[in-house]
Amino acid sequence: MSSQTRQDERRRRSGAARLYAVQALFQMEAAGQSSDRVRREFEDWRIGAEVEGEVAPDADEALFGRILDDAVTWQGRIDQMTDRALVARWPIDRIDPVLRAVFRAAGAELVAAKAPPRVIISEYVSVAAAFFTEGNETKFVNAVLDHMAREATPGAFGQ
């Protein structure tokens, strides 16, 4: 396997982990389930699982777990950063729950600062595009995440 192929595979598995993390955060909020329960469900029954002849993408389970753990640990800080990035009359609890999950997952990665902010923003704009087809949401996600990234890691933007 070439290094390019390995790199592409890592990128695909990381993208799948981020998508699953958004789905898991949405499920935690919508169903009032704990992160441990949802994490086990995804690892046992969703990630890489075959359903009706279709195989769900495999994912970087370590990244998936880290995003969930950090989103739970830092939820207050992440939600405050999101609120500051949103228009004042649209606090985080008034936005679409899928967008809330996107912001929490991305915020977890921005706070942990294990990947460059521009990569995180790009990845989560792609995740948002998987849920929203109109395009306005992806522009909105890009703008909010840019604001959040500048707050979480101002040095990364030359400020």
Side-chain angles (χ1 to χ4, degrees):
M1 183 183 287
S2 73
S3 67
Q4 181 63 45
T5 303
R6 282 191 300 276
Q7 186 177 13
D8 289 345
E9 178 65 15
R10 274 194 307 273
R11 191 174 298 123
R12 189 190 60 72
R13 289 172 45 86
S14 295
R18 290 177 172 108
L19 183 69
Y20 286 128
V22 169
Q23 291 172 333
L25 290 167
F26 174 85
Q27 181 175 326
M28 287 166 51
E29 181 179 349
Q33 295 174 331
S34 72
S35 63
D36 290 337
R37 179 178 176 180
V38 172
R39 182 178 182 170
R40 278 192 309 274
E41 177 185 328
F42 272 76
E43 290 172 348
D44 293 347
W45 303 104
R46 294 193 185 189
I47 296 173
E50 184 176 335
V51 179
E52 298 179 9
E54 295 289 322
V55 178
D58 200 13
D60 179 339
E61 289 188 29
L63 176 60
F64 168 76
R66 194 167 52 248
I67 293 168
L68 286 186
D69 291 345
D70 289 346
V72 170
T73 299
W74 298 104
Q75 184 175 331
R77 179 178 176 195
I78 294 164
D79 286 356
Q80 288 173 356
M81 286 178 10
T82 306
D83 275 342
R84 285 188 288 274
L86 296 169
V87 177
R89 54 185 197 277
W90 286 105
I92 191 167
D93 61 341
R94 290 191 59 199
I95 64 171
D96 183 283
V98 174
L99 287 174
R100 211 169 21 249
V102 169
F103 294 143
R104 286 177 177 157
E109 288 201 70
L110 290 169
V111 169
K114 296 201 188 282
R118 293 182 200 282
V119 170
I120 294 168
I121 292 168
S122 176
E123 288 291 319
Y124 283 98
V125 167
S126 294
V127 167
F131 292 105
F132 301 99
T133 58
E134 293 299 315
N136 292 334
E137 286 87 353
T138 57
K139 292 175 187 173
F140 177 64
V141 166
N142 187 62
V144 170
L145 292 182
D146 183 72
H147 188 281
M148 290 172 66
R150 289 173 190 279
E151 179 178 335
T153 55
F157 292 92
Q159 296 174 335

